């Protein structure tokens, strides 16, 4: 059968899908129970990533846990929304306003309790508002110190869970404090607690002009790769498109690195099908992902390693083309 990572879907993928041009959403509001049902209906998917507090506003954590059980889904990380409230327009954990910063940390601590109830593996922390827009706007060192202090408090309160940092180049801020894989790895080390991890989003890596396979290898080397968000993008923005529709070679190399490391974590679909039927888009995304995994399993790793010793691009491409082309 070969390497077979666990496949999950972010609950937002099958939600209403809003952007700044359509803030009311491209479709009607989708309650948490329906998002769980939709994800559970997709063949091959065994996990779901929920968002706190968004997916817990009308349901108790115990009710969410029961819905997951009914739909045969495991909870992956809980994504933390501490970026979508005006209180955090200048930052969450790095906010210089003590009350705003405290509210963000308290929200994370509440998410820890919800994660325990639904048996999630941890928290995914994407610090969307923690950054800056102009030169001289912030004290970079102090912002970083505050961010580290906030993560230490949350991770210390949840030794039974992972606390994972997800990096992104920018958006909604012009610059994010944690904007590439190296900074994310350094940040996790600076927090200095054993339950810290790093989430790599394939599209974010492209956006940061990184080679996704290389940064996955780096995170694995430091034993920090805690999860993967999978999608596709043109590389100049976080397009969150269906996997395997654009960067086929890069996606295949990314999965090959994960296979070589026998990565057993979640491969979570993170896409935004604004104008497509969300369930059909998820089904296609999962089939594409499964197809890419199958191709990664067909790569002759021994031949690839031998070819890489030559550092000759033609030699390595000859190994890879055998899984892509018939001639």
């Amino acid at each position: 059968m070969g390497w077979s990572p666990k496949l999950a879907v972010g609950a937002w993928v099958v939600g209403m899908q809003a952007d700044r041009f359509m803030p009311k959403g491209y479709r009607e509001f989708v309650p948490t129970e329906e998002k769980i049902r939709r994800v559970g209906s997709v063949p091959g998917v065994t996990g779901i990533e929920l968002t706190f507090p968004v997916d817990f506003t009308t349901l108790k954590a115990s009710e969410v846990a029961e819905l997951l059980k009914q739909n045969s889904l495991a909870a992956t990380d809980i994504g933390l929304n501490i970026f979508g409230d005006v209180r955090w327009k200048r930052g969450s954990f790095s906010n210089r306003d003590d009350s705003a910063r405290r509210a963000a940390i308290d929200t994370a601590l509440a998410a820890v309790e919800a994660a325990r109830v639904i048996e999630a593996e941890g928290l995914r922390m994407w610090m969307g508002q923690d950054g800056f827009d102009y030169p001289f706007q912030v004290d970079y060192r102090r912002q970083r110190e505050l961010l580290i202090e906030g993560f230490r408090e949350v991770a210390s309160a949840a030794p039974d869970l992972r606390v994972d940092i997800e990096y992104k180049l920018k958006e909604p801020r012009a610059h994010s404090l944690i904007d590439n894989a190296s900074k994310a790895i350094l940040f996790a080390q600076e927090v200095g607690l054993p339950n810290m991890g790093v989430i790599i989003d394939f599209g974010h890596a492209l956006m940061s002009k990184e080679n996704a396979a290389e940064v996955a290898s780096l995170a694995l080397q430091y034993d920090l790769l805690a999860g993967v968000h999978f999608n596709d993008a043109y590389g100049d923005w976080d397009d969150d498109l269906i996997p395997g529709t654009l960067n086929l070679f890069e996606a295949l190399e990314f999965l090959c690195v994960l296979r070589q490391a026998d990565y057993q974590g979640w491969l979570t679909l993170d896409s935004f099908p604004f104008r497509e039927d969300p369930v059909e888009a998820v089904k296609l995304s999962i089939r594409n992902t499964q197809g890419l995994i199958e191709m990664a399993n067909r790569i002759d790793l021994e031949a690839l390693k031998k070819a890489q010793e030559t550092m000759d691009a033609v030699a390595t491409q000859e190994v890879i083309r055998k899984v892509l082309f018939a001639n």
Side-chain angles (χ1 to χ4, degrees):
M1 183 177 179
W3 174 66
S4 182
K6 301 176 293 185
L7 301 182
V9 176
W12 58 90
V13 180
V14 294
M16 61 186 291
Q17 302 285 357
D19 62 20
R20 63 177 178 157
F21 301 102
M22 195 74 73
K24 292 184 178 180
Y26 285 83
R27 55 185 69 93
E28 295 298 318
F29 172 76
V30 183
T32 300
E33 48 265 50
E34 175 61 15
K35 286 190 282 189
I36 292 173
R37 188 198 66 78
R38 289 180 179 184
V39 172
S41 72
V42 179
V45 173
T46 57
I48 185 170
E49 182 182 321
L50 298 164
T51 303
F52 188 92
V54 176
D55 291 319
F56 296 82
T57 53
T58 60
L59 294 171
K60 296 178 181 178
S62 58
E63 294 173 317
V64 173
E66 182 59 29
L67 286 167
L68 295 177
K69 183 178 180 181
Q70 291 172 7
N71 288 273
S72 301
L73 291 172
T76 62
D77 278 357
I78 287 183
L80 189 63
N81 185 336
I82 47 174
F83 49 82
D85 188 296
V86 69
R87 291 176 295 177
W88 301 311
K89 66 181 180 180
R90 290 191 174 92
S92 56
F93 283 16
S94 68
N95 200 311
R96 299 299 290 272
D97 181 281
D98 289 342
S99 62
R101 183 171 180 271
R102 188 67 250 168
I105 294 173
D106 287 344
T107 300
L109 294 174
V112 167
E113 294 306 315
R116 287 173 174 148
V117 173
I118 68 170
E119 298 182 355
E121 296 181 4
L123 302 186
R124 177 182 60 84
M125 312 281 279
W126 173 64
M127 316 304 286
Q129 299 289 0
D130 291 273
F132 56 95
D133 303 306
Y134 295 93
F136 302 102
Q137 184 175 3
V138 300
D139 178 336
Y140 304 115
R141 182 169 183 170
R142 184 57 184 151
Q143 299 307 102
R144 188 175 185 83
E145 289 171 347
L146 287 171
L147 203 63
I148 290 170
E149 289 172 12
F151 267 79
R152 280 181 182 157
E153 180 174 346
V154 174
S156 295
D160 52 325
L161 301 171
R162 286 199 330 266
V163 177
D164 304 328
I165 181 74
E166 179 184 9
Y167 70 91
K168 185 177 180 179
L169 182 66
K170 59 181 180 178
E171 191 195 24
R173 307 305 296 266
H175 291 272
S176 299
L177 288 179
I178 309 297
D179 58 5
N180 61 47
S182 296
K183 281 186 183 178
I185 290 169
L186 176 61
F187 179 79
Q189 291 180 319
E190 287 177 322
V191 173
L193 292 172
N195 54 333
M196 280 293 299
V198 172
I199 301 286
I200 292 180
D201 181 299
F202 183 76
H204 293 185
L206 296 175
M207 189 179 176
S208 292
K209 307 306 176 187
E210 297 171 325
N211 179 295
E214 181 191 14
V215 296
S217 176
L218 187 63
L220 286 162
Q221 180 180 341
Y222 285 91
D223 196 26
L224 284 170
L225 184 61
V228 170
H229 274 190
F230 203 46
N231 44 47
D232 215 335
Y234 284 96
D236 53 1
W237 195 252
D238 188 24
D239 300 299
D240 280 327
L241 300 177
I242 292 170
T245 54
L246 294 172
N247 298 282
L248 189 62
F249 273 80
E250 290 87 344
L252 186 56
E253 186 189 25
F254 181 64
L255 294 175
C256 183
V257 165
L258 297 183
R259 176 199 166 194
Q260 287 173 302
D262 194 28
Y263 169 75
Q264 294 297 314
W266 292 99
L267 204 62
T268 301
L269 175 65
D270 176 14
S271 66
F272 277 75
F274 293 111
R275 299 162 187 85
E276 294 74 37
D277 179 287
V279 175
E280 292 305 313
V282 169
K283 289 179 179 178
L284 176 58
S285 297
I286 296 301
R287 292 199 304 273
N288 281 6
T289 301
Q290 290 171 327
L292 285 163
I293 291 169
E294 182 184 347
M295 282 192 284
N297 275 320
R298 295 206 309 270
I299 294 172
D300 185 334
L301 296 181
E302 185 176 340
L304 178 62
K305 186 175 181 179
K306 185 176 181 180
Q308 287 174 335
E309 289 175 359
T310 71
M311 302 184 73
D312 186 333
V314 173
T316 54
Q317 290 299 311
E318 283 291 348
V319 177
I320 302 306
R321 73 182 310 281
K322 292 177 180 178
V323 306
L324 293 172
F325 304 111
N327 64 329

